[in-house]
Amino acid sequence: MLGIFCIICCVGALAGWALLNRIAYTVYRPWCKKINAHISTVIAHRIFSIFSAYLNFRFKGDYTLVPQLPEQYLLISNHQSILDIVVYMNYLGGKRVRFVAKKELADHVPLVSVMLKSDEHCLVRRTGSPSQAMQAMDLFAQRVVRNNWIPILFPEGTRSKNGEVGTFHSAGFRRFLSKAPMPVVVAAVDGGWNISSVTRLATNLRGGAYRVKVLKIYPAPTTKEAQLKVLEESKELIQEQLTVWRQLGK
């Protein structure tokens, strides 16, 4: 019951910002930038604080390698829940973080849709043609370079329903690096698959944890062979980290 109450409180706190952002998007879109920055930093941190205080749900960010991160980089990670977006905003600071996400999330999803569109994240239609996806990635790469953003890509392309790491697809990863060569940072998350639905969220929040850790920093891979090697090693590193976390337990 307390879990449901906390969820309701968080939804209530976000509802006002969602409405304000929707109005700003209709009236004067530059206002959305400031609202988004507040949501992705202050509000994201506040949500985890509420879960920690009332449900002992912990955010476990390992910052060992974070001070070594370059000025700009492409971060790749496994994907377990839409909350991965909130986790990385909380972990890295949300103002410069931009995601590659499915275009369907930009339609009729409270709060999320307006943030994705107004902050110019990369929106790729899952059922669209490959050329459409590559064009979206090209334009995104241009925006990333121009604005000094930190792009985050989930090579699996979809969320894992059981926490296992799926196939890492190379097309978007290689296309982005061909247009915007930069170092590649590998990170792992765990805990999201266990709270990926409303039912799981209500029943599994108490005493749970959401972990995130930077695992390795690669110099910019400039050849196809180097890019594929980074992607292959990244999946192995993430799987190894998930195994270690799960052996340690909560």
Side-chain angles (χ1 to χ4, degrees):
M1 183 63 71
L2 185 57
I4 296 175
F5 175 75
C6 286
I7 294 171
I8 293 173
C9 288
C10 288
V11 170
L14 288 170
W17 289 104
L19 177 60
L20 182 62
N21 217 9
R22 172 63 67 180
I23 294 172
Y25 190 76
T26 303
V27 177
Y28 186 61
R29 293 185 182 181
W31 287 343
C32 291
K33 302 288 186 182
K34 294 184 178 180
I35 297 172
N36 293 342
H38 181 76
I39 293 171
S40 61
T41 53
V42 177
I43 302 300
H45 179 74
R46 189 172 297 166
I47 288 173
F48 281 104
S49 295
I50 292 172
F51 288 163
S52 175
Y54 294 99
L55 297 172
N56 194 32
F57 183 88
R58 294 153 291 168
F59 172 78
K60 293 188 174 183
D62 187 321
Y63 293 88
T64 304
L65 291 181
V66 170
Q68 301 177 32
L69 293 177
E71 170 63 19
Q72 190 177 39
Y73 53 88
L74 167 64
L75 187 144
I76 58 176
S77 167
N78 61 314
H79 191 23
Q80 296 186 351
S81 165
I82 194 172
L83 288 176
D84 294 344
I85 293 176
V86 181
V87 166
Y88 277 114
M89 286 179 173
N90 191 50
Y91 184 57
L92 298 172
K95 292 184 179 180
R96 294 176 61 207
V97 169
R98 295 295 186 276
F99 293 88
V100 178
K102 61 181 181 180
K103 190 173 179 63
E104 288 77 4
L105 287 177
D107 299 321
H108 313 301
V109 180
L111 187 65
V112 174
S113 294
V114 173
M115 289 188 69
L116 288 175
K117 291 185 289 189
S118 61
D119 264 348
E120 300 180 271
H121 296 257
C122 182
L123 301 172
V124 178
R125 193 177 300 280
R126 179 178 291 179
T127 57
S129 66
S131 61
Q132 179 274 330
M134 294 303 102
Q135 183 181 23
M137 193 65 73
D138 291 348
L139 294 174
F140 179 57
Q142 294 174 14
R143 296 195 299 272
V144 165
V145 172
R146 184 171 62 247
N147 296 286
N148 194 30
W149 289 338
I150 304 299
I152 295 182
L153 171 66
F154 302 111
E156 291 164 286
T158 189
R159 290 168 282 172
S160 171
K161 296 181 179 180
N162 59 7
E164 298 304 314
V165 183
T167 301
F168 272 25
H169 304 284
S170 64
F173 174 72
R174 292 187 52 238
R175 184 68 173 226
F176 179 89
L177 289 175
S178 71
K179 299 296 181 180
M182 61 182 63
V184 176
V185 171
V186 182
V189 292
D190 196 27
W193 67 275
N194 204 30
I195 53 173
S196 58
S197 67
V198 175
T199 302
R200 287 181 172 181
L201 192 65
T203 57
N204 296 333
L205 266 177
R206 182 182 294 276
Y210 219 128
R211 295 175 171 88
V212 57
K213 180 180 181 180
V214 169
L215 305 178
K216 189 168 182 175
I217 304 168
Y218 288 92
T222 56
T223 66
K224 176 181 178 180
E225 292 73 19
Q227 291 165 359
L228 292 177
K229 182 178 180 182
V230 166
L231 205 59
E232 181 181 354
E233 290 183 0
S234 298
K235 182 181 177 181
E236 293 174 356
L237 287 170
I238 291 170
Q239 187 60 68
E240 290 172 2
Q241 184 60 58
L242 296 185
T243 299
V244 169
W245 278 335
R246 291 167 188 178
Q247 287 176 344
L248 292 174
K250 296 181 180 180

